[in-house]
Amino acid sequence: MKIEELSALEVSFNRLIESLLIKKAENEQFTVRLSSEISQFTRFNHAKVRQTGCVADGWIELTLMKDQRNSVRQFPFTGNWEVDWQLAYTALQELRDELILLPIDPYLVLPSGNNTSREIHSGNLLAAEAVVPTVLELVAGLDFTGIYAGGVVIKAYGDSSGQKHWFATDSFTLDYSLFSPSEQAVKGTFAGSDWDESAYIAKISEGKKQLELLARPVKELPRGQYKTYFAPAAVADLLLMLSWGAVSEADIQQGNSALAALSRQEKQLSPKFSLKENFQRGLVPRFNELGEIAAPELPVIEKGHLVNTLVNSRTAKEYQKIANGANGSETLRAPEVSPGNLEFEQILPSLDTGLYVSNLHYLNWSDRHTGRITGMTRYACFWVENGEIIAPIENLRFDESLYRFWGENLIDLTTFQEFIPEVGTYESRQLGGSLVPGMLVKDFTYTL
Amino acid sequence: MWSELRKTIASFDIPADWIGIRAVKETSTTRLVRDALPQVNGKSFTVGAMLEVLVNGCLGYAATNSLELSSLQAAAQTAYNQALAASEWWIHPFRESERPKVVGEYKSPFIESLDSLSPGEINDLLVRICQTLKVDDKIVQTIASASTTEKESWFVSSNGSEVYQKILSIGTHYGVTAQDGAIVQQRSNNGSQANCYQGGLELLQQENLWHRVRQIGEQAVELLTAEECPTTRTNLVLAPDQMMLQIHESVGHPIEIDRILGDERNYAGGSFVNKNDFGNLVYGSPLMNITFDPTVPGEFASYGFDDTGAVATKEYLVKEGVLQRGLGSLESQVRAGVAGVACARASSWNRPAIDRMANLNLEPLNGTFEDIIAGIEHGVYMESNRSWSIDDRRYKFQFGCEYAKLIENGKLTKTLRNPNYRATTPEFWHSLIKVGDATNWQMYGTPYCGKGEPNQAISVGHGSPVCVFANVEVFGGGV
């Protein structure tokens, strides 16, 4: 999006807040959230284009609060003032009519404070017409599949107490797979704000080398426990489970958390495992749904001990805790797992005999309250003997507790970390990602 | 809307072979109460249009949330540019015949309109459900929610299509968490968000609601002292609310033709099924009859036409155990040379249509629930999904349920907690030894079937009777 178009949207958003402030009654409070994007989505299969298009979308979420009651309206935001204001004013009136009918919410949190922020991250993305030739010319002859998603994403906030935030970023992700004739695959992600042709060439070259390893006959392994190296992308998948019924203070209080035993100090993880929220990379907004700003860093697990859960202001009010700027769902937004002592060159010698797992797939709690997770290996996973890659494996199902693989069975984490970008596009293009090392684990349980 | 869209199409100055506009207007409400206190009350409204342009066999799209003429014209130009830019690299040369002319309309059946109860009355009902769920002090959380959606869509094309569809749907959910020290159990009404149907507010208060609410609370407390599900191989009896997930994951997804063609390999995965399997593959036992049926009144994913204008009809996908046809749109059918169904669907105006499941049902055969249990010497009966995972080829799966009963000598006996089972898809469906009758056939649905790049969550419906599978690996929880 051109800078002048971006600027027009910001002007329109600010005008919306100002107009709502004028219309607001004395005993009313409101918050306004904006999510907007103009995205190029090009989908590939067999190094051809399957679908290609552009989506211009944007919506406002207006929350009105009065007399300890609240309700929300979400409606389109187009940048056309007449259209947008009509929708906003209609929503305001509907909310007023509805609030008097609703029960009292004792844990309602009103916006407060005077936080403001404005971040604009410009990029140098491929022009729309250049995406297809630029991506595909390099992979001609390969079985290349995936999606390019790129463009501007805006997240903004304003409220009746005067807080205001604007976060706009130009970014792209190329999320792809290279398949071998035997349907084994190498996974790759290439992301950033500037398209770097030489970096893309290097990524594809790296993928081609891995494809050679995948050409070997596939080894089928019996179920059992295997020493396993998890590459950073696989660690990131395991880490994402902590945002689904684990690190949330509300989940702990309400009996929904896999980390309840850790919280009660009945169990602990390995002293080698530390996790924090780290917003210092600037890839995601630090403000939440109430305009509160999270600290640049928040330790969550330190040397195996749960030192902080994610607490939003509503949870804090309900359970008499101290809020730490968490979002409404108390999920990790900028997670980082600390590195360990395993050098890159020592990964295969330290693994010796076992599994090299590059990626995981379709994780779910199999028994949340004991921290047990099931899922599948996927993409470029190998059998290793005597420190040497022998063969790709048939995919295996695992079922294992985080109290074991991040606890007594964690051998070490790598000295290096990788940034695994968030490539999700449900509702809108997601931002950010996880900064994680690889990890070596003993006796990891594979069941099918 | 019709005259505006017709005028819009006529106004385009683009040398395209075909142009389509799919405008969507959707209003949804969500109300959620926890522990008898309000958590979420809200309404969301979205409106926009998806424009598709066919140029030299290439389709390009552009979606905009502004329905002004100038925005639609700009979107059409963008879609044209997209198609042109991809023309040398297009995966298949499509023709206008993959977008046939169609005229018609579909409307969901309903009795009471979606605004026949006020937000306050709906909150009151949810509060009462929470209060009734709390049958014991060991219930540490109660939850109840109701959501409604009214979705209208208009599809027009340069070759004369005019389709209008209006879908009203409702989803309800309630459940509890029970805790005794470190033991925590959750129980809900048929699993998370499984009660999703097309219809009006008459669906909010189903028959025997209050009996069922109390039962959910009582069963959660019962699970706290129940035995762990044993680790063994035995007869597995699945209730319709778990069959929903079983059909969805291990039949629906593997036979999607776009997966078989490789479109989904980078995200959701491929399939163990290949193109030559249609008409040949013995997918399961002869008792297995699976239909694609968007015509069932009230089922969650019913419709008259898919999002490219194909007319929706009931078709057998698996008949007496043999795979007949795939879940593939007109585009996928012409690419694969395989018979498909009217299943090109998009989650909203801002996503292009892809192959989707709609309603996928297991047809009933014979046997009441009592007859089925009476015929089993040893087994485990499971209800309500709580955990799901399957590999990218839809082959090795592991699913877990909320609630189970041991079956001994033809009777349901002890309650079992943390019941799970695992198998491979072909092995499992070949082990189907009994399919219940219409008296135990039930339908459910979910709004959260995820697929596609860019990602799309879409509604699907699934109906099934109680089924018995022989010699399945079952196991419990804990470490």
Side-chain angles (χ1 to χ4, degrees), chain B residues 185-299:
Chain B
Q185 289 290 307
Q186 289 172 320
R187 184 75 177 113
S188 67
N189 186 34
N190 306 117
S192 181
Q193 308 290 340
N195 282 272
C196 291
Y197 303 101
Q198 286 188 17
L201 280 193
E202 71 278 2
L203 295 171
L204 269 190
Q205 297 209 54
Q206 292 177 337
E207 206 180 337
N208 78 359
L209 170 69
W210 299 108
H211 165 75
R212 179 67 173 159
V213 171
R214 277 188 295 277
Q215 184 183 47
I216 292 300
E218 287 162 2
Q219 288 184 344
V221 177
E222 183 189 338
L223 284 167
L224 292 174
T225 53
E227 288 182 14
E228 284 286 327
C229 180
T231 298
T232 186
R233 277 187 170 269
T234 191
N235 293 301
L236 174 64
V237 184
L238 294 182
D241 62 3
Q242 173 62 16
M243 284 301 298
M244 165 176 78
L245 186 277
Q246 188 68 54
I247 294 165
H248 181 90
E249 302 289 4
S250 71
V251 182
H253 282 307
I255 64 172
E256 289 162 346
I257 298 179
D258 61 345
R259 291 180 73 109
I260 293 164
L261 288 165
D263 294 352
E264 281 285 321
R265 286 177 300 165
N266 182 59
Y267 179 59
S271 178
F272 74 92
V273 175
N274 64 59
K275 283 191 288 186
N276 299 328
D277 287 336
F278 292 95
N280 303 309
L281 178 68
V282 181
Y283 206 97
S285 88
L287 306 180
M288 182 185 185
N289 292 287
I290 302 250
T291 55
F292 170 89
D293 194 357
T295 71
V296 179
E299 197 164 358

Side-chain angles (χ1 to χ4, degrees), chain B residues 272-334:
Chain B
F272 74 92
V273 175
N274 64 59
K275 283 191 288 186
N276 299 328
D277 287 336
F278 292 95
N280 303 309
L281 178 68
V282 181
Y283 206 97
S285 88
L287 306 180
M288 182 185 185
N289 292 287
I290 302 250
T291 55
F292 170 89
D293 194 357
T295 71
V296 179
E299 197 164 358
F300 197 39
S302 290
Y303 52 85
F305 311 87
D306 77 7
D307 284 332
T308 59
V311 178
T313 53
K314 176 177 179 174
E315 304 291 347
Y316 272 84
L317 301 168
V318 178
K319 193 159 194 180
E320 295 175 351
V322 179
L323 184 62
Q324 305 291 318
R325 61 173 64 216
L327 287 166
S329 61
L330 293 174
E331 284 178 27
S332 292
Q333 290 173 48
V334 72

Side-chain angles (χ1 to χ4, degrees), chain A residues 48-332:
Chain A
K48 300 281 186 184
V49 175
R50 173 62 190 98
Q51 286 174 315
T52 184
C54 184
V55 174
D57 197 1
W59 48 262
I60 292 281
E61 188 176 281
L62 169 65
T63 304
L64 187 69
M65 292 155 264
K66 181 187 173 188
D67 295 338
Q68 208 66 29
R69 296 169 168 88
N70 80 314
S71 187
V72 183
R73 288 291 180 278
Q74 197 179 95
F75 49 86
F77 180 72
T78 65
N80 178 328
W81 172 251
E82 301 301 329
V83 173
D84 294 346
W85 174 243
Q86 190 186 354
L87 287 168
Y89 190 55
T90 303
L92 179 68
Q93 289 171 315
E94 270 188 28
L95 285 164
R96 283 175 172 152
D97 293 341
E98 182 176 320
L99 282 191
I100 53 175
L101 302 171
L102 298 180
I104 283 176
D105 176 3
Y107 306 119
L108 177 66
V109 179
L110 301 176
S112 62
N114 53 7
N115 291 313
T116 59
S117 64
R118 188 170 183 276
E119 286 183 68
I120 295 177
H121 302 277
S122 300
N124 185 19
L125 307 182
L126 290 171
E129 64 276 12
V131 168
V132 171
T134 306
V135 171
L136 289 187
E137 275 169 5
L138 187 64
V139 295
L142 295 174
D143 187 356
F144 172 93
T145 179
I147 186 168
Y148 171 93
V152 67
V153 173
I154 299 169
K155 304 288 179 190
Y157 174 91
D159 66 32
S160 52
S161 78
Q163 296 185 108
K164 193 179 287 182
H165 302 284
W166 183 264
F167 181 96
T169 183
D170 261 341
S171 63
F172 74 91
T173 56
L174 178 65
D175 179 20
Y176 65 90
S177 308
L178 300 174
F179 276 80
S180 73
S182 59
E183 288 293 303
Q184 291 277 325
V186 174
K187 177 79 169 174
T189 49
F190 184 55
S193 289
D194 298 287
W195 181 268
D196 181 341
E197 187 70 22
S198 58
Y200 177 52
I201 292 168
K203 287 285 287 185
I204 296 298
S205 299
E206 188 188 314
K208 284 180 184 171
K209 283 181 196 158
Q210 287 193 51
L211 271 180
E212 288 168 18
L213 285 172
L214 291 173
R216 298 178 187 180
V218 172
K219 186 175 177 68
E220 198 167 335
L221 292 170
R223 61 178 76 190
Q225 293 186 322
Y226 295 101
K227 191 174 179 182
T228 303
Y229 171 73
F230 293 95
V235 174
D237 278 337
L238 291 166
L239 185 64
L240 285 177
M241 292 300 291
L242 296 185
S243 283
W244 182 12
V247 294
S248 152
E249 180 63 32
D251 278 334
I252 286 179
Q253 294 290 336
Q254 294 160 20
N256 297 328
S257 172
L259 295 185
L262 192 66
S263 171
R264 293 191 298 262
Q265 299 183 342
E266 293 167 5
K267 290 190 174 182
Q268 69 177 66
L269 301 178
S270 166
K272 293 171 180 162
F273 185 77
S274 295
L275 163 69
K276 66 182 172 185
E277 280 273 76
N278 183 356
F279 288 95
Q280 308 213 52
R281 294 169 70 89
L283 299 175
V284 291
R286 278 170 59 195
F287 55 87
N288 66 11
E289 294 91 335
L290 281 167
E292 300 160 337
I293 297 188
E297 289 196 8
L298 177 77
V300 178
I301 295 171
E302 268 190 351
K303 296 181 178 175
H305 294 279
L306 187 68
V307 293
N308 281 299
T309 54
L310 299 185
V311 190
N312 65 34
S313 293
R314 182 181 179 85
T315 300
K317 189 171 184 179
E318 183 168 359
Y319 301 106
Q320 295 83 53
K321 301 284 177 182
I322 296 169
N324 52 26
N327 61 14
S329 50
E330 296 177 338
T331 53
L332 294 161

Side-chain angles (χ1 to χ4, degrees), chain A residues 320-374:
Chain A
Q320 295 83 53
K321 301 284 177 182
I322 296 169
N324 52 26
N327 61 14
S329 50
E330 296 177 338
T331 53
L332 294 161
R333 287 178 283 166
E336 176 179 348
V337 174
S338 300
N341 297 304
L342 181 63
E343 302 280 353
F344 178 80
E345 296 75 18
Q346 288 304 307
I347 292 171
L348 289 177
S350 299
L351 174 58
D352 188 40
T353 296
L355 286 167
Y356 185 107
V357 172
S358 298
N359 294 272
L360 297 173
H361 171 65
Y362 217 142
L363 275 57
N364 203 333
W365 299 111
S366 54
D367 185 4
R368 181 181 310 197
H369 301 101
T370 55
R372 223 173 75 189
I373 299 169
T374 189

Side-chain angles (χ1 to χ4, degrees), chain B residues 446-467:
Chain B
T446 176
Y448 301 123
C449 174
K451 191 182 167 185
E453 292 172 311
N455 305 151
Q456 306 189 42
I458 209 164
S459 56
V460 295
H462 297 298
S464 173
V466 173
C467 290

